[in-house]
Amino acid sequence: MPEPVPEAAPPADGGSEVDDDAEKNAAGQENQSTSLSGLFVEKPAENVVAVAGSDVTFVAKVDASTLTRKPTMKWLKGKWLDLGSKAGKHLQFKETYDRNTKIYTYEMKIVKVVAGDAGGYRCEVTAKDKCDSSTFEISVEAAHQEGQADILSAFKRADAGEDEGDLDFSALLKATKKKKKPEKEEPEIDVWELLKNAHPSEYEKIAFQYGITDLRGMLKRLKKMKEVQKPSEAFLKRLESCYSVEKGKKIVMSCEVLDPNVQVKWLKNGQEIKPSAKYVMEANGNVRTLTINKSNLSDDAAYECVVGEDKCSTEVYVKEPPITITKLMDDYHVVVGERVEFEIEVSEEGAHVMWAFEDQEITKDKDSSKYRFKKDGKKHTLIIQEATLDDAGMYHAWTNGGHTKGELEVEEKELEVLQDIADLTVRATDQAVFKCEVSDDKVTGKWFKDGVEVLPSERIKMSHIGRFHRLVIDDVKPEDAGDYTFVPDGYALSLSAKLNFLEIKIDYVPRQDPPKIHLDTTGNMVSQNTIIVVAGNKLRLDVEITGEPAPTVVWSKGEEAVVATEGRVRVESRKDLSCFVIEGAERTDEGNYTICVTNPVGEDKAVLFIKIVDVPDPPENVKCTGVGEDCATIVWEPPKFDGGAPIKGYLMERKKKGSSRWTKLNFDVYESTTYEAKRMIEGVLYEMRVFAVNSIGLSQPSLNSKPFMPIAPTSEPTRLTVHDVTDSTCSLRWLAPEKIGAGGLDGYVIEYCKEGDTEWVAANTDLWEKQGFVVRGLPVGEKINFRVVAVNIAGRSPPATLSQPVTIREVVEHPKIRLPRELRTKYIRRVGDKINLTIPFQGKPHPIATWLKDGQPVDPKMVNVRNTNVDSILFIRSAEREHSGTYELVLKIENMEDRATISIRVIEKPGPPVNVRVTDVWGFNAALEWEPPKDDGNSEVTGYTIQKADMKTKEWFTVYEHNRRTNCTVSDLIMGNEYQFRVYSENLCGLSEEPRMSKNTAVIAKTGLELKQAAYKEKDMACAPKFTQPLVDRSVVAGYSTAISCSVRGFPKPKIVWMKNRMIIGEDPKFLMQNNQGVLTLNIRKPSTFDAGKYCCMAVNDLGQDEVECKLDVRVAIETENK
């Protein structure tokens, strides 16, 4: 295929969207578009010439000053291809709005144009009842290069990387006029020839191998390049060139073949299609049809209908409806490290959503470490695991029919100081420990002394455990004194403390003072000698000690002395000071502590009670005690330990089962241990948890309650009635409740109580599922109230109660036989038929039914009888004539009875008449007489059928049918012939099996004429078959029998062959073929649409053959519904 020659070379930097001529052309078009009408105030240029590999942008502006709502813009290629679904790196769309001028600006940018982008385009804008469109053309020219250009360069992928091939298009754009180094010549490959000769199933493989991105466009152009095919010998009418259908709709493709009996194959992209509910293949005469139900995007393919070596093809284009965004994206304001979820909802499941940050598309391959994509039905979510300051900005989501955006604001996370560094005063050789606590356990930092970073050594150690940072200096020396600072990394924050070196000078003064403990009763002491500490906090109790010589200090908890100088609970001793330290107070630290100081002069003792207060334990045994339609009652037990402070109340949370999001139910403290949760969804499983609150804080959550479902009981059963009452039972019936709800219906409970009592007794131990019940064991004569309750998982419904009590006493009802109308007259059946008579009756108590035949009890060997409480059934499997007679049903209740009589007659065909004879012959007439048959088949003889036959031909012809007399006169006999007669008798079953022949014959004599015998010359009657009356086209209604007829002559008697669609009709019981004196009839019993077609009748003898044909159409009857 020749390659077009470009008008001008592109600039070296590749930054121009189109060449100079294209820009002039576009400018000219813009000048022409100043007098626009409709919604557009600026349209894209009508004709644009773009250089392959460059970018091109099209702009359309819409005036929205007169519009009531935001306009919708669509960019289309060809007639219907919506480019919104193709948005990505190659096609980019942008929309802006100017509030001052109220003008929307829409841009479509094609990045690195390829040859497949050439063609006709259209932009459509719609706003409520207004619509406007503009069309434009894109022509793509190859970049200028020396030497022979390769056609593949127009279809190379510009971003293919290693798969790009030998020709890099971007290199061509940046090429200068310098001569390239000679390269090895490779044989040119014509992709068009490859596609022409390739099977459709190999198209995708060729496109991947040679970097073709617009395969569909090439295939369309290839179709135009193909030569006109020769007229097909197998197809009368080929498939259309293409079909288009909307997604989800049905499409029908049909063609006509020459041979109505030929089998065809349907192929999709070269693969054979198997019949299924989606693909329906039909053959109706010469028409072959393929129907695709509920089409989807996978049905967008090439299809072929194959007949032997011949085939016809078409293409199906499935148009995807625009996907709209039903739930817009929300804005987020978070701090560094928090999780962000941008969530939208679209109009259809399985839709493609493109995410972007600012102007950069977010893809799974490139951004998988930072972003996660989640699809749940119509919900699409973009997840940022840990937000950073760089993630702040505008995020976009696009579908082919909508766009939404949300802003993410990220703030620096503040660092909170939980424990500051304290100043220290230490003596020589002692240990100095600086410790601080911050809110983030991941934060690192550095220690400084007088502005100089402290480095670890054998004497100086630094540690970071969780939120705690420590600096430990062993064997303190005077040069260690100074200002120490801890600076967290990444935060404008510093913690400082001072280390004072204590120089000890001892002056010996021989004094002796008794020891004395000086307690400071301020601070944490709530009462005398009682100290309250919050669990987890540090307690440092400095007790001043005086006495000479220096007293010995002993701390003890109960009877156990505390002697440790290191660890969580320790004692630190200094001059005139004893420090008792508890790091991270725990509940077990609570108790009475004693400090005892002694020296040779005396001793002193003090007792302290340390009380540890903490957040309470979680509440226990959280459970649901009752549910309603949209509410549930939750109860729990208070925590076993209140943390040393009274419980102020509780906070509740709930969530759906399977979800991880808890919803707070109250923000103010709730004091009771019973709570009714409302505004829940019926039929959804929920879980609850409870927090306890005291003055210290919030407890850990309780264990989740067992899942529960808000379900309301059903409404009461309806239409409760009494069906029957006996001396000890009562039969009730009712209908299901009008409102059942999500809990369904498990069954019913039937209860009763005596009139005047209030205690209801359940009549059934297990739930009863049916809507009828017989309550048994009731006392005779008592008045009983009944009620029915529906039960489901939510409990019992309101009861349905009878309006008045029922007296338990059986009511005597006279027996009454309700004989069906058709049995009130004589019941006639043929021999061999089945007799099944159901006779309903009524009466209380249950009557006794007895059958009699001709006054005698029926023989159980001949007749089967089955009696129930409401009817009696008489059954005879195969009727015989001896079953005929008068049957009587006797119904008795004690001394009362009712009778019904049924006359049954079993009939069969009669015997032949008796004594058939010719009684008189005159002129051309003969008189016949006979006697009735001896056996009338147990039915009255309704008539006779008389036939005659010439003794020469022996062919029988009917003279009379349904002749009611036992004699007749046969006229129009032929002179000189001798005739014999036969008679059939007839009753309700039909004609007798055999006729009765006449005992004598009738000779029609020639009177008054003298026969002059002429020389007999035998005439040659032989002739080829010839139809004297052709078949006539017919149109019939399906289900109604029909017949088609014609007539033929020929000698010898021709053989008749009937055919349908050129196929011989064999011994098919649906067809009955008759030949009466050359009149040919084909009877078709109850034809269906399958029986439509061309019917042919062929007559054949030794001299030749002839045939006639007609067309039979079978239409479906249209039933009219009476509303």
Side-chain angles (χ1 to χ4, degrees), residues 167-195:
L167 285 178
D168 185 355
F169 201 81
S170 60
L172 292 178
L173 290 175
K174 298 178 181 180
T176 62
K177 294 185 178 180
K178 294 180 180 180
K179 293 185 179 181
K180 295 184 179 179
K181 294 181 180 180
E183 297 179 355
K184 293 183 180 180
E185 294 185 1
E186 295 183 0
E188 291 188 2
I189 300 176
D190 192 345
V191 179
W192 298 110
E193 291 297 328
L194 281 178
L195 291 176

Short mmCIF file of all heavy atoms in Angstrom, two decimals, residues 167-195:
data_model
loop_
_atom_site.label_atom_id
_atom_site.label_comp_id
_atom_site.label_asym_id
_atom_site.label_seq_id
_atom_site.Cartn_x
_atom_site.Cartn_y
_atom_site.Cartn_z
N LEU A 167 11.87 0.33 14.03
CA LEU A 167 11.56 1.71 13.71
C LEU A 167 10.99 2.39 14.92
O LEU A 167 9.90 2.05 15.36
CB LEU A 167 10.54 1.75 12.55
CG LEU A 167 11.12 1.43 11.17
CD1 LEU A 167 10.03 1.46 10.14
CD2 LEU A 167 12.22 2.42 10.81
N ASP A 168 11.70 3.29 15.50
CA ASP A 168 11.22 4.06 16.65
C ASP A 168 10.66 5.37 16.09
O ASP A 168 11.42 6.19 15.57
CB ASP A 168 12.36 4.31 17.61
CG ASP A 168 11.86 5.00 18.87
OD1 ASP A 168 10.67 5.34 18.91
OD2 ASP A 168 12.66 5.21 19.78
N PHE A 169 9.36 5.58 16.23
CA PHE A 169 8.74 6.73 15.57
C PHE A 169 9.21 8.04 16.18
O PHE A 169 9.36 9.05 15.51
CB PHE A 169 7.22 6.61 15.68
CG PHE A 169 6.51 7.42 14.65
CD1 PHE A 169 6.35 6.94 13.37
CD2 PHE A 169 6.01 8.67 14.95
CE1 PHE A 169 5.70 7.69 12.42
CE2 PHE A 169 5.37 9.42 14.00
CZ PHE A 169 5.21 8.93 12.73
N SER A 170 9.43 8.01 17.52
CA SER A 170 9.91 9.24 18.14
C SER A 170 11.28 9.62 17.58
O SER A 170 11.62 10.80 17.44
CB SER A 170 9.99 9.05 19.66
OG SER A 170 10.87 7.99 19.95
N ALA A 171 12.11 8.62 17.25
CA ALA A 171 13.41 8.90 16.65
C ALA A 171 13.23 9.53 15.27
O ALA A 171 14.00 10.40 14.85
CB ALA A 171 14.24 7.64 16.56
N LEU A 172 12.20 9.09 14.56
CA LEU A 172 11.96 9.67 13.23
C LEU A 172 11.57 11.14 13.35
O LEU A 172 11.93 11.97 12.52
CB LEU A 172 10.85 8.89 12.53
CG LEU A 172 11.19 7.44 12.13
CD1 LEU A 172 9.98 6.80 11.49
CD2 LEU A 172 12.36 7.43 11.16
N LEU A 173 10.74 11.45 14.41
CA LEU A 173 10.31 12.85 14.57
C LEU A 173 11.51 13.76 14.86
O LEU A 173 11.54 14.92 14.46
CB LEU A 173 9.28 12.95 15.70
CG LEU A 173 7.90 12.34 15.39
CD1 LEU A 173 7.04 12.41 16.62
CD2 LEU A 173 7.25 13.11 14.26
N LYS A 174 12.47 13.25 15.60
CA LYS A 174 13.61 14.07 15.98
C LYS A 174 14.77 13.98 14.96
O LYS A 174 15.85 14.50 15.17
CB LYS A 174 14.12 13.63 17.35
CG LYS A 174 13.08 13.82 18.45
CD LYS A 174 13.62 13.33 19.79
CE LYS A 174 12.57 13.50 20.86
NZ LYS A 174 13.04 13.03 22.18
N ALA A 175 14.52 13.28 13.88
CA ALA A 175 15.61 13.07 12.92
C ALA A 175 16.00 14.37 12.24
O ALA A 175 15.16 15.24 11.97
CB ALA A 175 15.20 12.03 11.89
N THR A 176 17.23 14.51 11.93
CA THR A 176 17.73 15.66 11.17
C THR A 176 18.05 15.19 9.76
O THR A 176 17.82 14.04 9.39
CB THR A 176 18.98 16.24 11.84
OG1 THR A 176 19.99 15.24 11.85
CG2 THR A 176 18.68 16.66 13.26
N LYS A 177 18.58 16.08 8.99
CA LYS A 177 18.89 15.74 7.61
C LYS A 177 20.19 14.97 7.45
O LYS A 177 20.63 14.69 6.35
CB LYS A 177 18.95 17.01 6.76
CG LYS A 177 17.60 17.71 6.64
CD LYS A 177 17.66 18.88 5.71
CE LYS A 177 16.32 19.55 5.57
NZ LYS A 177 16.36 20.70 4.65
N LYS A 178 20.80 14.65 8.62
CA LYS A 178 22.02 13.88 8.53
C LYS A 178 21.72 12.49 8.04
O LYS A 178 20.71 11.92 8.39
CB LYS A 178 22.70 13.79 9.91
CG LYS A 178 23.19 15.14 10.41
CD LYS A 178 23.86 14.98 11.78
CE LYS A 178 24.35 16.33 12.28
NZ LYS A 178 25.00 16.19 13.61
N LYS A 179 22.60 11.96 7.29
CA LYS A 179 22.39 10.62 6.77
C LYS A 179 22.60 9.61 7.87
O LYS A 179 23.49 9.71 8.69
CB LYS A 179 23.37 10.34 5.62
CG LYS A 179 23.11 11.18 4.40
CD LYS A 179 24.03 10.76 3.27
CE LYS A 179 23.76 11.58 2.02
NZ LYS A 179 24.63 11.18 0.90
N LYS A 180 21.72 8.63 7.85
CA LYS A 180 21.82 7.57 8.85
C LYS A 180 22.87 6.57 8.42
O LYS A 180 23.20 6.44 7.25
CB LYS A 180 20.46 6.86 9.01
CG LYS A 180 19.38 7.75 9.56
CD LYS A 180 18.11 6.94 9.76
CE LYS A 180 17.01 7.78 10.32
NZ LYS A 180 15.77 7.00 10.51
N LYS A 181 23.35 5.87 9.40
CA LYS A 181 24.29 4.80 9.11
C LYS A 181 23.59 3.72 8.33
O LYS A 181 22.42 3.42 8.58
CB LYS A 181 24.86 4.23 10.40
CG LYS A 181 25.71 5.23 11.16
CD LYS A 181 26.27 4.58 12.42
CE LYS A 181 27.13 5.58 13.19
NZ LYS A 181 27.68 4.97 14.42
N PRO A 182 24.22 3.13 7.42
CA PRO A 182 23.56 2.07 6.64
C PRO A 182 23.18 0.92 7.54
O PRO A 182 23.95 0.47 8.38
CB PRO A 182 24.64 1.65 5.62
CG PRO A 182 25.92 2.11 6.21
CD PRO A 182 25.64 3.34 6.98
N GLU A 183 21.97 0.48 7.36
CA GLU A 183 21.46 -0.62 8.17
C GLU A 183 21.24 -1.82 7.27
O GLU A 183 21.11 -1.71 6.06
CB GLU A 183 20.14 -0.22 8.85
CG GLU A 183 20.30 0.94 9.82
CD GLU A 183 18.97 1.30 10.43
OE1 GLU A 183 17.96 0.70 10.02
OE2 GLU A 183 18.93 2.18 11.31
N LYS A 184 21.16 -2.94 7.91
CA LYS A 184 20.90 -4.17 7.16
C LYS A 184 19.50 -4.12 6.58
O LYS A 184 18.53 -3.82 7.26
CB LYS A 184 21.02 -5.39 8.09
CG LYS A 184 22.44 -5.61 8.58
CD LYS A 184 22.49 -6.86 9.44
CE LYS A 184 23.91 -7.10 9.93
NZ LYS A 184 23.98 -8.33 10.78
N GLU A 185 19.44 -4.40 5.30
CA GLU A 185 18.14 -4.39 4.64
C GLU A 185 17.38 -5.66 5.00
O GLU A 185 17.90 -6.76 4.91
CB GLU A 185 18.31 -4.30 3.12
CG GLU A 185 18.92 -2.99 2.66
CD GLU A 185 18.95 -2.93 1.15
OE1 GLU A 185 18.49 -3.91 0.51
OE2 GLU A 185 19.42 -1.92 0.61
N GLU A 186 16.17 -5.42 5.43
CA GLU A 186 15.29 -6.54 5.78
C GLU A 186 14.14 -6.58 4.78
O GLU A 186 13.69 -5.54 4.30
CB GLU A 186 14.73 -6.38 7.20
CG GLU A 186 15.82 -6.44 8.26
CD GLU A 186 15.22 -6.35 9.64
OE1 GLU A 186 13.98 -6.24 9.73
OE2 GLU A 186 15.97 -6.40 10.63
N PRO A 187 13.69 -7.75 4.45
CA PRO A 187 12.58 -7.82 3.49
C PRO A 187 11.34 -7.13 4.04
O PRO A 187 10.99 -7.29 5.21
CB PRO A 187 12.35 -9.33 3.33
CG PRO A 187 12.95 -9.93 4.56
CD PRO A 187 14.10 -9.06 4.94
N GLU A 188 10.71 -6.33 3.17
CA GLU A 188 9.50 -5.62 3.60
C GLU A 188 8.35 -6.61 3.79
O GLU A 188 8.18 -7.54 3.00
CB GLU A 188 9.11 -4.57 2.56
CG GLU A 188 10.09 -3.42 2.48
CD GLU A 188 9.56 -2.32 1.58
OE1 GLU A 188 8.43 -2.48 1.08
OE2 GLU A 188 10.27 -1.33 1.37
N ILE A 189 7.60 -6.34 4.81
CA ILE A 189 6.43 -7.18 5.12
C ILE A 189 5.18 -6.34 4.92
O ILE A 189 5.00 -5.30 5.57
CB ILE A 189 6.50 -7.72 6.57
CG1 ILE A 189 7.76 -8.56 6.76
CG2 ILE A 189 5.26 -8.54 6.90
CD1 ILE A 189 7.97 -9.05 8.17
N ASP A 190 4.34 -6.76 4.01
CA ASP A 190 3.10 -6.05 3.74
C ASP A 190 2.01 -6.57 4.70
O ASP A 190 1.53 -7.69 4.56
CB ASP A 190 2.66 -6.27 2.28
CG ASP A 190 1.55 -5.29 1.91
OD1 ASP A 190 0.95 -4.70 2.83
OD2 ASP A 190 1.28 -5.14 0.71
N VAL A 191 1.68 -5.75 5.67
CA VAL A 191 0.68 -6.17 6.66
C VAL A 191 -0.68 -6.38 6.02
O VAL A 191 -1.45 -7.26 6.41
CB VAL A 191 0.60 -5.12 7.80
CG1 VAL A 191 -0.44 -5.54 8.81
CG2 VAL A 191 1.95 -4.96 8.44
N TRP A 192 -0.98 -5.57 5.00
CA TRP A 192 -2.28 -5.73 4.34
C TRP A 192 -2.40 -7.12 3.72
O TRP A 192 -3.45 -7.76 3.82
CB TRP A 192 -2.45 -4.65 3.25
CG TRP A 192 -2.43 -3.26 3.81
CD1 TRP A 192 -1.46 -2.33 3.66
CD2 TRP A 192 -3.42 -2.67 4.63
NE1 TRP A 192 -1.78 -1.18 4.33
CE2 TRP A 192 -2.99 -1.36 4.93
CE3 TRP A 192 -4.65 -3.11 5.14
CZ2 TRP A 192 -3.72 -0.48 5.71
CZ3 TRP A 192 -5.39 -2.24 5.93
CH2 TRP A 192 -4.93 -0.94 6.21
N GLU A 193 -1.31 -7.59 3.06
CA GLU A 193 -1.37 -8.93 2.48
C GLU A 193 -1.49 -10.00 3.54
O GLU A 193 -2.17 -11.00 3.38
CB GLU A 193 -0.11 -9.17 1.61
CG GLU A 193 -0.05 -8.33 0.36
CD GLU A 193 -1.21 -8.65 -0.58
OE1 GLU A 193 -1.65 -9.82 -0.59
OE2 GLU A 193 -1.67 -7.75 -1.29
N LEU A 194 -0.78 -9.77 4.67
CA LEU A 194 -0.90 -10.73 5.77
C LEU A 194 -2.34 -10.83 6.26
O LEU A 194 -2.87 -11.92 6.46
CB LEU A 194 0.01 -10.30 6.94
CG LEU A 194 1.50 -10.62 6.83
CD1 LEU A 194 2.23 -10.09 8.03
CD2 LEU A 194 1.72 -12.12 6.70
N LEU A 195 -2.98 -9.68 6.45
CA LEU A 195 -4.36 -9.69 6.95
C LEU A 195 -5.33 -10.25 5.92
O LEU A 195 -6.30 -10.90 6.27
CB LEU A 195 -4.78 -8.27 7.34
CG LEU A 195 -4.08 -7.68 8.57
CD1 LEU A 195 -4.52 -6.24 8.80
CD2 LEU A 195 -4.39 -8.50 9.81
#
